[in-house]
Each structure stands twice: as structure tokens, then as C-alpha cells.
Amino acid sequence: MKITKNMTIGELIRTYPQTARVLMSFGMGCVGCPSSQGETLEEAAMVHAMDIDELMKALNEAV
């Protein structure tokens, strides 16, 4: 299963726990906060002013 921009952070962490480290390296320290359960990777990237393409590349490389 490939990681997509539409996956929620909660879904990502449950499916691929090793990606939490990648998210945190990008400055997304809220991997365990309640909003992460319903927030998509794309939404989170926008909120945190991250390059979604770089984030997706790093996440997919981690798995």
C-alpha cells in the first residue's frame, strides 16, 4: 500500500509506525494530538507550511 496525501496522520501512524520519526523530522511534532486522527497529510503539510511532495517522498522511502 502506497502512502497518499489523503491518508490521515492517525491512519499513517497505525499502518506504518516508523513514519512518526519522519513526520517529526519535518517539524510535525503533533503526531499524537487528537486533530491528527482526522487531518490528512496534505492538510497537515499546509498548516505546517511543508512541501507536501518532499514529505510524501520521505514517507514512502521510510516504508
Side-chain angles (χ1 to χ4, degrees):
M1 179 172 158
K2 185 179 179 203
I3 298 171
T4 68
K5 298 176 191 179
N6 297 322
M7 288 179 83
T8 65
I9 295 170
E11 178 184 9
L12 175 69
I13 300 297
R14 283 190 301 277
T15 308
Y16 304 108
Q18 70 272 32
T19 58
R21 188 172 307 168
V22 175
L23 294 174
M24 295 185 63
S25 75
F26 271 76
M28 196 179 296
C30 61
V31 293
C33 73
S35 66
S36 71
Q37 298 307 305
E39 190 172 52
T40 67
L41 289 167
E42 187 168 38
E43 291 166 341
M46 287 177 13
V47 168
H48 293 278
M50 294 177 191
D51 181 324
I52 187 65
D53 294 323
E54 281 185 38
L55 178 62
M56 296 308 299
K57 182 179 179 215
L59 290 170
N60 279 296
E61 285 175 356
V63 298

